[in-house]
Structure formats: C-alpha cells, structure tokens
Amino acid sequence: NTNTNTNTNTNTNTNININENNKQINLFQNRPANGICRVVCFSPRHDLTLAELSIEELIQVIETFAKQTKELLEIEFIHYVQVFENKGEIMGCSNPHPHSQIWATSFIPTELVKEINNQSNFYNENQCCLLCTLLEKELEQHKKSIEQCDNDNISTNTSRIIDTNQSWTALVPYWAIWPYEILLISNQHHQFLFELNEQQQIDLAQILKSIAIRYDNLFKCSFPYSMGWHQAPTDLIDRSTFFHLHAHFYPPLLRSATIKKHMVGFEMLAMPQRDLTAEQAAFTLRSLSPTQHYKSI
C-alpha cells in the first residue's frame, strides 16, 4: 500500500487546505488476489462454434460448466466463479479453437458487486426478486405486443423478447448499450448452473443454440461477442432471496460483419448512446431463423 500525504497548496489569491487535519490518506490501495483459470474446449473439432454444435454436445458443455463451478466453489479460498466466452478475434480471442474460460477468484469482482447491490436493494425495497419481476413484466409486454399489433411491423411491435421456452427467456434488455445485446434469464429462481435439472439443461442447450444461430445469421458471419454467466458468490448472505442466475451477451457488431460500435467520445466520457432501440434489435433478431444456420442454406 502507498500512503499519500497531501500538503497545503497556495496560490496568489487563496490558501487551499486539501487535508485540513493533516491525516494520512490511503489513496492507492491493493490486496492479494488468488484464483484458478481453466479452459473448456467445446469440441475436438477446430471449426465448431456453439451455433454448430448438436443439442447433445451443448448439453455436455453445460454439464461441464456446472460441474466445474461446483468443484471450484468447494475450494476454501474461492468465493466466486466466472464462466465466460470471448468469441472472435475482434473480442481478443487469440486461440481460434472454439472454447470458453472459467476463472475462479478469491474475491467478488466489481461488476458482480454492482449487480449484487442493485438486486439486494430492489429486494429490500420491494420484497421480490429484481430479475423475476423483470421477466414477469417482459413476458406481459410480449403477450400484449402479439395480441395488439402486427407482429411483422417493427414500428408497432414493442416486445423485447427474442426467444423463450419452459426454462429460459432471451431478451434484449431495456437498458441495452451494445447493439443486439442479450440477457438470458432462468425462468426459475436459481443461483448456480449446477442447480439445473435435466430438462432445464436441455432447454438451455436449445436456447443457446437458437441465440448463436440468430447471431450468425444476422450478418452471415461467425458473429463475435463476449458472453458470461453471473452466478452467486459462495458467501453472499441471503443470496437465495434476491440473486438470480443469468447470462450476458455483449456483441460489438453494429451494421455489418465489418462495422462495429465504438465506445468513444461522449459515450466514453459521459454516458452511452444507443444506435438502435432494444425493441428494434429484438425485432431484427426475432425475424432470423433460430434453427437453420446460414452455412447450411
């Protein structure tokens, strides 16, 4: 740790005492961080992404995620497990063999702290789960949109849901920043992947394949993204009441296979700007085939 003493600064007009009590301010802080990193190859084949795996192969991947999460969380110094995939060179993937990574850490990462605080605060204020409530509202809006509008008309379709089955719902979140961003939510209130039963794993494999195929069909390319699962930390008190298992997909492409969104200027220094609405993105993704990959046409 580095302790910084801030002295009194003086200019010609005003004496400015930054640290009136002359206390030592611990401005620069650090602490040890321990962890374990593992790599999961989706298939022995070098050319198969999630979109091109069979449902059976995807179930094996999901089972591996679940088993690895449980095994790592049983290690005493591990407090959190992050499962994620960086797909495509544009997302920093240096190994072209389709794979994901699992990082287990001795601390709770920053983004998880934000989510935990938001979900916990919402529960304390409303006595209900934030993502359960979001899911309920989005499904209501989806049903209303189908009943009241022309499903083929983008100007009247207000649904943000892309796909849903018995166990999972994929939607473009209302607050989406990245074009074609997806939030994948468990319809049942779980905290960990290893809590899923056999049918929920099958449903997850089906909706993951659907998302991946729609993405590839959008610009007729192997669609890049960063995807990751948010599971509960082990030592989170009362986690079962408010923390809800979900995954994020953050894709960079905006208008074509070569034109990406850049977070620069006002977006970097002030706040994000949306190039298209969540409803527009969901409508576009919904209009794409979830089963027939563009390579097979």
Side-chain angles (χ1 to χ4, degrees):
N1 296 337
T2 302
N3 295 323
T4 304
N5 292 324
T6 307
N7 298 320
T8 301
N9 296 324
T10 306
N11 59 26
T12 54
N13 298 317
T14 309
N15 291 330
I16 303 175
N17 192 340
I18 297 177
N19 187 2
E20 294 180 354
N21 297 323
N22 197 32
K23 294 191 301 185
Q24 287 189 327
I25 299 176
N26 195 11
L27 185 61
F28 304 107
Q29 303 181 36
N30 59 66
R31 60 176 177 172
N34 300 310
I36 299 170
C37 176
R38 294 176 178 174
V39 175
V40 179
C41 293
F42 297 147
S43 166
R45 286 181 53 175
H46 193 69
D47 59 337
L48 293 182
T49 64
L50 292 182
E52 298 160 293
L53 294 178
S54 67
I55 294 298
E56 292 73 22
E57 289 170 324
L58 275 166
I59 291 172
Q60 290 180 351
V61 172
I62 293 164
E63 288 176 340
T64 301
F65 289 164
K67 290 177 182 177
Q68 288 294 308
T69 296
K70 195 172 192 309
E71 178 182 312
L72 288 164
L73 287 177
E74 290 174 350
I75 299 173
E76 185 176 358
F77 73 90
I78 295 299
H79 293 274
Y80 177 72
V81 173
Q82 178 66 66
V83 178
F84 66 96
E85 177 196 5
N86 293 324
K87 183 189 176 194
E89 186 177 353
I90 195 173
M91 301 307 292
C93 184
S94 56
N95 191 328
H97 192 115
H99 68 282
S100 63
Q101 298 182 59
I102 303 176
W103 288 20
T105 61
S106 60
F107 58 92
I108 303 176
T110 306
E111 290 303 310
L112 257 294
V113 171
K114 293 178 186 177
E115 285 199 359
I116 289 168
N117 289 339
N118 288 336
Q119 292 186 61
S120 177
N121 290 340
F122 183 89
Y123 182 84
N124 290 335
E125 292 175 9
N126 302 281
Q127 297 303 300
C128 56
C129 166
L130 172 58
L131 291 187
C132 286
T133 305
L134 171 69
L135 194 57
E136 179 184 352
K137 298 295 184 184
E138 291 290 359
L139 288 169
E140 287 176 0
Q141 180 64 29
H142 182 67
K143 182 180 179 181
K144 186 184 299 183
S145 178
I146 292 174
E147 292 173 348
Q148 297 182 353
C149 74
D150 178 0
N151 198 46
D152 295 324
N153 189 339
I154 191 171
S155 64
T156 59
N157 196 311
T158 58
S159 174
R160 289 179 287 270
I161 289 180
I162 301 164
D163 202 356
T164 187
N165 59 31
Q166 182 180 342
S167 306
W168 299 90
T169 298
L171 56 89
V172 179
Y174 179 76
W175 57 84
I177 295 173
W178 293 98
Y180 307 108
E181 179 179 331
I182 289 177
L183 178 64
L184 178 58
I185 309 174
S186 168
N187 292 350
Q188 290 76 39
H189 189 80
H190 293 302
Q191 285 78 53
F192 301 100
L193 286 167
F194 56 75
E195 295 176 337
L196 305 180
N197 61 34
E198 182 179 355
Q199 185 57 53
Q200 290 165 343
Q201 288 185 341
I202 294 171
D203 290 345
L204 177 54
Q206 291 173 340
I207 205 164
L208 281 175
K209 187 173 178 69
S210 164
I211 291 171
I213 290 177
R214 288 180 196 270
Y215 269 163
D216 283 6
N217 287 343
L218 180 59
F219 296 131
K220 303 279 192 298
C221 69
S222 186
F223 198 79
Y225 57 73
S226 278
M227 178 272 283
W229 286 95
H230 280 170
Q231 305 180 83
T234 55
D235 52 355
L236 184 61
I237 299 174
D238 296 330
R239 62 174 178 260
S240 62
T241 59
F242 66 85
F243 194 92
H244 195 121
L245 175 67
H246 63 281
H248 296 278
F249 287 78
Y250 297 130
L253 297 184
L254 177 59
R255 295 187 181 92
S256 73
T258 57
I259 299 178
K260 69 182 291 289
K261 178 180 178 66
H262 295 277
M263 289 284 189
V264 296
F266 189 86
E267 292 183 289
M268 181 181 289
L269 298 168
M271 64 182 295
Q273 302 296 292
R274 282 118 181 122
D275 300 276
L276 68 167
T277 66
E279 294 79 11
Q280 290 171 330
F283 180 90
T284 300
L285 290 172
R286 243 188 348 261
S287 67
L288 301 167
S289 174
T291 57
Q292 187 172 26
H293 195 272
Y294 77 93
K295 288 183 180 179
S296 64
I297 298 175

